[in-house]
Amino acid sequence: MAVAFVLPAAAQDEGVTLSVEEVVTYEPVGPDTPGRPATPKTSPGSWLTADDYPVEARRDGREGNVSFMLQVGPDGRPIGCTVTESSGSADLDAAACDALMQRARFDPARDDAGKPIASTYRNRIMWKLDTRDLPEPTVIETYLIVGTNGEVEECGVTKAEGGFGPRARMFCETAGQARYVQQRDEDGNPVRMRVTTRVQVTHEVVE
């Protein structure tokens, strides 16, 4: 018997995508062939959350797939977790097994007589960082020329790099409608002024 499942969207919070999407196989332990295999009691998507992603792995941008096998006891609880194919990162492997041991629950496999028996459950977890909604680091520099009457005469973008760069000119659309306090020189005469702005946007994982 084989089924497939995928983690729900709730597990894609905070820039992280977690999915369990490979075919699942059930294998009996011992000579008895189960009349009914072990089946998850709860949605497998609830077994992992974005909070399970190891902080250092997130910070380092490490991703990977963890193939695993759970030994499922006659009571439907996992009694062991084995990594059958490593992600290449020990912390991702360990986090997968830790979460599965804590949260995976099954209706146990049963033999032909209906007696609960031990079995195994195999699958694969994909740890993947999803940054599609996070713009890359951005630097925007703009300037305004404000006339003696406090109104904006000119606006320009001198530098626009990164995720928000293409939107930098929107600043001028808004700034052009603003009015500034009239500036005067030492003799009290109104003067024009140049106003420069530099905005830098970065992103980092917070523990």
Side-chain angles (χ1 to χ4, degrees):
M1 177 179 179
V3 298
F5 57 82
V6 179
L7 282 176
Q12 298 180 17
D13 296 338
E14 302 176 7
V16 175
T17 297
L18 306 175
S19 66
V20 184
E21 54 188 6
E22 297 300 305
V23 173
V24 180
T25 60
Y26 305 88
E27 301 175 3
V29 173
D32 296 324
T33 298
R36 184 176 68 81
T39 55
K41 274 189 173 182
T42 57
S43 168
S46 66
W47 295 348
L48 291 98
T49 72
D51 291 338
D52 294 317
Y53 212 115
V55 173
E56 289 188 5
R58 292 181 63 176
R59 183 187 300 119
D60 297 342
R62 284 187 281 115
E63 303 174 330
N65 298 328
V66 182
S67 296
F68 65 88
M69 179 179 69
L70 289 177
Q71 291 81 43
V72 182
D75 63 354
R77 291 176 173 266
I79 55 178
C81 177
T82 302
V83 174
T84 57
E85 185 176 346
S86 174
S87 65
S89 296
D91 51 356
L92 292 179
D93 295 347
C97 275
D98 287 347
L100 293 167
M101 290 295 292
Q102 290 179 36
R103 305 190 190 110
R105 296 293 182 270
F106 300 85
D107 287 322
R110 296 179 182 273
D111 61 20
D112 289 335
K115 179 182 177 181
I117 59 174
S119 63
T120 60
Y121 172 97
R122 296 174 183 267
N123 208 341
R124 186 172 71 173
I125 294 172
M126 179 176 69
W127 297 98
K128 182 176 177 58
L129 293 168
D130 185 354
T131 58
R132 289 173 299 176
D133 296 328
L134 294 176
E136 61 185 287
T138 297
V139 175
I140 299 173
E141 296 179 358
T142 61
Y143 72 91
L144 297 175
I145 301 299
V146 180
T148 56
N149 59 359
E151 295 183 356
V152 175
E153 297 179 352
E154 182 182 342
C155 178
V157 178
T158 57
K159 186 175 184 179
E161 299 176 348
F164 289 122
R167 307 181 204 174
R169 293 193 177 280
M170 294 175 61
F171 170 81
C172 285
E173 295 176 6
T174 302
Q177 304 173 14
R179 287 185 61 87
Y180 288 76
V181 175
Q182 189 182 66
Q183 300 296 305
R184 298 178 180 274
D185 61 18
E186 295 179 354
D187 297 326
N189 300 314
V191 295
R192 299 170 73 221
M193 62 178 178
R194 180 186 181 95
V195 180
T196 59
T197 303
R198 187 178 192 275
V199 177
Q200 182 170 349
V201 181
T202 59
H203 305 88
E204 61 182 45
V205 175
V206 177
E207 297 185 24

